[in-house]
Amino acid sequence: MDDDRDRLNAAVTYGLFAAWALHDIEELATLPGWMRENVRRLRKRFPQVPERIWQAMESADEREFAVAVGVMGAIVASAAVAGHRSGGRSGFYQSTLYGFGLHGLVHMAQAAAVRGYTPGVATSPLVVVPFSLWARGRLRRSGVLRPTRARDAVQGLALAGAATALSHVVARRVLGRRRPVAPGAT
């Protein structure tokens, strides 16, 4: 019985890293080229997006993105390990799992907004969202899932956004690059 429980715990906790890796393979393969081909069009279509966001998107290249993915991988792996060691109880693991699932919904909303493919949208409905729902269901049935409140959604998305920003900051430092400065800033 303990072997079955250990396998399930590993599938739920380390599965987060596996699902993330599958998802990010799609992003690694498609994002840099997609951005080169689409940022100019999106900039015209969405003029309300701050210029510094467009500049950051245009300045990121394949190397920066690959390093950022590696940093994010370390964060997700740390959350998976924390989840496994705690039997799924770790707040860090559960918040990361929640943020991962919600970020899959964000990918799907982005694709709807641009009316087409966006990097990450293929694996979001096939891997990200189903895995997140399955893992949360297993945690719930095991009695270890924290009750979910509206603020948890905000925190999960904030964690995902902060981890993404941190990953790019680290990548730029590793590669010896400075962050692009918004027009008019010093």
Side-chain angles (χ1 to χ4, degrees):
M1 185 72 167
D2 283 342
D3 285 342
D4 290 342
R5 187 172 300 183
D6 289 343
R7 276 193 293 276
L8 179 61
N9 183 29
V12 170
T13 56
Y14 293 138
L16 172 62
F17 181 75
W20 170 86
L22 287 171
H23 174 67
D24 267 44
I25 287 170
E26 176 194 0
E27 290 185 336
L28 273 170
T30 61
L31 187 90
W34 184 90
M35 291 209 341
R36 277 191 303 275
E37 294 172 14
N38 291 283
V39 167
R40 181 176 288 136
R41 176 180 61 86
L42 294 173
R43 181 182 248 149
K44 289 177 185 171
R45 186 160 171 213
F46 300 104
Q48 68 276 19
V49 172
E51 181 62 25
R52 70 182 183 284
I53 302 295
W54 297 122
Q55 288 179 346
M57 289 175 73
E58 289 177 329
S59 70
D61 63 11
E62 287 90 348
R63 288 182 342 135
E64 178 184 328
F65 188 65
V67 173
V69 166
V71 173
M72 183 64 81
I75 294 168
V76 175
S78 297
V81 168
H84 188 72
R85 288 184 175 164
S86 68
R89 290 174 176 82
S90 163
F92 176 44
Y93 163 74
Q94 288 191 21
S95 293
T96 303
L97 176 64
Y98 199 41
F100 179 63
L102 291 172
H103 117 276
L105 296 176
V106 169
H107 275 295
M108 293 161 55
Q110 289 170 334
V114 302
R115 297 183 195 116
Y117 176 82
T118 56
V121 75
T123 51
S124 287
L126 299 174
V127 176
V128 176
V129 174
F131 173 79
S132 299
L133 291 172
W134 174 81
R136 288 177 54 79
R138 296 306 304 193
L139 294 172
R140 186 178 305 104
R141 284 189 290 286
S142 297
V144 300
L145 184 66
R146 294 183 325 230
T148 304
R149 301 166 305 228
R151 82 175 197 196
D152 295 328
V154 173
Q155 287 176 338
L157 285 173
L159 176 64
T164 299
L166 174 66
S167 296
H168 281 276
V169 167
V170 170
R172 286 182 180 274
R173 291 203 178 189
V174 165
L175 296 171
R177 298 181 181 161
R178 293 186 52 187
R179 184 174 161 253
V181 178
T186 58

